[in-house]
């Protein structure tokens, strides 16, 4: 990816070699244009910064739209944005819904263990299924769930 830089500022991003050829119709460029030739036309490579780590519950991350010059390189950075109380509540509600769906799936897929002729340790399976029902009562619910282990 490239950016077109004029007077130290980003004039256009993203910018392509195709844009360069179209903007300079009377210039013949080689198939692979060296970086030093691109620089003569104000075209510079843009490095994509790795996505930063962040707290998904409390923050969101967005890639910036305009690259920044840092240590003689143009870098497309990220911004970490704190979520509002409403967004955090929506996140928690979604996590709770996902956990309940998973819990319900695990309960349904283990219903057979409660049949009279099921060849399993009924006490262990009853304990497991009750632990599944109790996940919503855990202190960390819905963000920190300690799932019971199937017998």
């Amino acid at each position: 990816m490239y950016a077109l830089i004029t007077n130290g500022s980003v004039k256009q991003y993203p910018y392509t070699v195709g844009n360069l050829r179209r903007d300079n119709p009377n210039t013949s460029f080689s198939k692979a244009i060296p970086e030093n030739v691109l620089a003569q036309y104000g075209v510079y490579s843009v490095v994509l910064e790795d996505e930063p780590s962040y707290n998904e519950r409390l923050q969101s991350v967005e890639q910036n739209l305009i690259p920044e010059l840092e240590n003689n390189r143009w870098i497309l950075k990220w911004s970490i944005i704190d979520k509002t109380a409403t967004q955090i509540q929506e996140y928690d509600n979604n996590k709770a819904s996902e956990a309940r769906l998973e819990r319900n799936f695990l309960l349904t897929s283990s219903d057979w263990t409660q049949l009279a002729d099921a060849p399993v340790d009924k006490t262990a399976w009853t304990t497991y299924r009750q632990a599944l029902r109790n996940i919503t009562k855990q202190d960390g619910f819905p963000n920190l769930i300690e799932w019971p282990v199937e017998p």
Side-chain angles (χ1 to χ4, degrees):
M1 285 202 271
Y2 297 100
L4 179 61
I5 309 298
T6 304
N7 297 323
S9 297
V10 177
K11 182 175 181 182
Q12 185 178 341
Y13 177 80
Y15 192 79
T16 66
V17 170
N19 294 129
L20 177 65
R21 293 180 197 283
R22 189 176 50 250
D23 292 346
N24 299 279
N26 298 324
T27 304
S28 178
F29 294 102
S30 61
K31 185 173 182 172
I33 306 171
E35 293 287 323
N36 64 329
V37 174
L38 290 170
Q40 292 172 8
Y41 290 88
V43 179
Y44 296 89
S45 292
V46 175
V47 177
L48 300 177
E49 182 179 65
D50 291 338
E51 184 175 329
S53 59
Y54 63 101
N55 182 322
E56 189 177 315
R57 179 175 181 258
L58 303 176
Q59 302 167 316
S60 62
V61 63
E62 293 178 2
Q63 194 168 44
N64 296 348
L65 299 175
I66 305 296
E68 300 174 24
L69 183 62
E70 184 177 282
N71 298 325
N72 295 320
R73 295 183 337 162
W74 289 93
I75 302 175
L76 193 59
K77 296 185 170 202
W78 297 84
S79 293
I80 296 175
I81 300 131
D82 290 336
K83 289 183 178 179
T84 65
T86 302
Q87 290 171 319
I88 294 169
Q89 187 60 54
E90 287 173 5
Y91 178 88
D92 288 347
N93 291 345
N94 288 337
K95 290 290 274 186
S97 292
E98 290 171 8
R100 286 185 177 97
L101 282 172
E102 177 68 15
R103 184 247 347 247
N104 292 346
F105 171 77
L106 292 171
L107 282 169
T108 301
S109 64
S110 65
D111 280 348
W112 67 273
T113 65
Q114 301 307 295
L115 296 173
D117 61 347
V120 296
D121 179 348
K122 290 210 185 313
T123 303
W125 279 96
T126 300
T127 302
Y128 166 73
R129 290 168 54 83
Q130 187 58 52
L132 287 173
R133 289 184 189 93
N134 291 340
I135 64 160
T136 58
K137 297 175 185 171
Q138 291 181 9
D139 287 338
F141 184 84
N143 297 299
L144 294 173
I145 299 171
E146 192 170 319
W147 290 94
V149 177
E150 186 177 291

